[in-house]
């Protein structure tokens, strides 16, 4: 299995209003370093998984709605706990949708899996990996 | 599959008394940076894999018996070659036991897999990954 | 010149309400990885700059007022632009005060300089370095 | 599953003569940081996956044909697009061949899988992982 | 002294045609991760050293002439040995010129020093630091 | 001021037999990642600070007496507390001596300063920087 993995980053504010989260119930924030890996069984005619420039563009496009935002104020997250794990899945779904919509070119249709990793800081990170439905 | 991965570290001395290990047969030591990833198919009601604070506490608890110790003097390692791979498995077993004992709360019962990675230094690392039995 | 440098981290929310900051004028946040270096011309009788455990405690104590907080709501920052550079200086001042107050033991009185570095994410960081007044 | 992963690096020049690659069609180059992970279900009698010194030697031997070379001038790459993905597979094949040839000792016969990761720089990397045929 | 440091990267080919360089005399290449730090004694009215977006733009602009190029073919480098140290100074000079030309806004006039660091790979890096003339 | 910085690593055991060190009084160990930076005001005729291969060889030679050893058993360290700071200075002195002895070629005579940094693990590091006497 081949993969190509690209990196970008966002800075967001949010709160996690459930007693489960202790001091993180209040408004705080995070810089997330975001890695997205695209997996494929075989390479295309140019010997790549996907065009790396297109992969970076897809990732940047996916993050645009989140960058420099207070997630508590965004309609799509009302009533949701925007944990790191949840955001991994949210970005995974957006990358899958972009692949299906052709944003990665014809190669997007041949992807087997995508893995999204969000690094909170040096000591903690979360990920979601699944098939490109 | 979701994961959350946390990091801690220990400094230990040991020897590897088998000719296989060449210069590492004598007493030497290591700073191990330890990453433990907890994998789960679905998130809990709070949208997390496990409470990240509990995960850090479990890891710290697991490492307490090793920190600042000469592993050659610990009863549990008599007659064992305490390689990096062996220690990955040792820490994996301790994390599984902690999960079963409830140290990760109810979510510990829903973990699919755990992966323990020990970084010896910038050029070498080992890991063990397996199902939470 | 000798130094010892320790690391900790915080997650905060804030806004930067000045047109200078473009999209960062709104409420957003950051995970800051914080490195503090203590500099000294000579070592103490135990061959260290300062006790590294005490250095980590001083750093952790300094960060406690900031961790998981919305800086816009803290009295000490009213009317201030809490940029990364500003926070470097704020933490520097707190570390100097802690050193003068004896939190680093007798060695704190012999420090020449302190440098505080805040990493916003993988692409950007700021620092303040100065003499321990 | 156990793994041990080692790191080395090469600096190479090449071109990617296909319009697909835009500005990378011209002669340019890369420093590749190369990680090779060896996977195995059980440890050997010395509690290791493979001898880490042998693993580092195999990796160094594999990279020798590439180091400080213009890949466009090497016979084995004529008519090939030497993308990062392609080079991952090339190094994977060479490591498998070395394992089969006994360069990792008897343990090389017990490897389940090998994964080769090439880091282009801080924002992008590719990998190939497969069974040791 | 305050600093803000930003990161970008380039991939280039070149040769070092002097027997001093052994195997690096032939055409090879590098991915350089480039860090540029801007130093200043006091902050501006917005509590920053320079606008970080402008700093990233200045760095990107400086690297544009080098990205994906064979440095041996560029007129400005004819007869020069384009070592990592030399390129640090070249990028330093370009950043100073950009600051003087106003690309960092009014704050560019208040910079005390600039430091350029080029990371060749994980084991080696070079830097040049000097006053903004 | 120009610099070139190279990296190597060692794994050692030692104890710190002074009540000051709490749990680190017993035998334990460390993997030290070692960075040595060589500083010089001007470049040589080949546009380098020093030959980077020679720098790596000097560093490796300096570390040979320490690698895989129990520092408590080495004659040169009897009665010394081999803290990270102390080892920085020890390696600094050895690098200066190597430079004076010609191990860096003629360029070694033109070095202004050397800085040695030892990383204990991800959270702590020490350094010593001084003029090449």
């Amino acid at each position: 299995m081949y993969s190509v993995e690209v990196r970008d980053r966002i800075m967001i504010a949010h709160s996690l209003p459930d007693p489960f989260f202790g001091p993180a119930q209040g408004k705080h924030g995070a810089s997330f370093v975001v890695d997205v890996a695209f997996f494929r069984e075989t390479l295309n005619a140019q010997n790549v998984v996907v065009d790396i420039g297109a992969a970076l563009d897809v990732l940047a496009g996916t993050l645009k709605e989140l960058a420099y935002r207070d997630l508590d104020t965004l309609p799509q997250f009302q009533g949701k706990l925007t944990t790191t794990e949840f955001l991994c899945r949210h970005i995974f779904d957006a990358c899958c949708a972009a692949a299906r919509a052709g944003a990665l070119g014809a190669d997007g249709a041949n992807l087997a899996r995508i893995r999204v990793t969000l690094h909170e800081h040096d000591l903690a990170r979360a990920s979601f990996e699944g098939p490109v439905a």
Side-chain angles (χ1 to χ4, degrees), chain A:
Chain A
M1 182 79 90
Y2 291 91
S3 80
V4 64
E5 190 164 25
V6 293
R7 172 169 286 189
D8 204 333
R9 63 211 58 73
I10 43 170
M11 303 176 83
I12 58 94
H14 69 158
S15 60
L16 296 168
D18 184 295
F20 183 87
F21 294 101
Q25 288 178 79
K27 183 86 73 192
H28 64 287
S31 322
F32 289 118
V33 174
V34 185
D35 288 320
V36 180
F38 300 90
F39 293 90
R40 187 175 168 178
E41 285 292 349
T42 56
L43 299 180
N44 74 0
Q46 283 83 26
N47 276 350
V48 301
V49 170
V50 293
D51 175 33
I52 201 167
L56 283 161
D57 287 349
V58 161
L59 177 52
T62 297
L63 298 180
K64 197 169 288 178
E65 61 161 335
L66 306 174
Y68 291 116
R69 304 301 299 270
D70 180 350
L71 304 187
D72 299 345
T73 69
L74 299 184
Q76 64 272 41
F77 299 134
Q78 292 312 300
K80 313 267 185 168
L81 290 163
T82 56
T83 60
T84 311
E85 291 91 329
F86 172 89
L87 293 170
C88 286
R89 178 61 185 266
H90 179 81
I91 295 170
F92 169 87
D93 287 339
C95 288
C96 288
R100 283 192 302 267
L104 292 167
D107 296 311
N110 298 307
L111 292 174
R113 303 176 71 76
I114 289 179
R115 181 183 63 217
V116 175
T117 308
L118 266 71
H119 306 261
E120 294 186 17
H121 49 59
D122 59 324
L123 295 198
R125 58 183 189 265
S127 73
F128 181 77
E129 178 177 339
V132 180

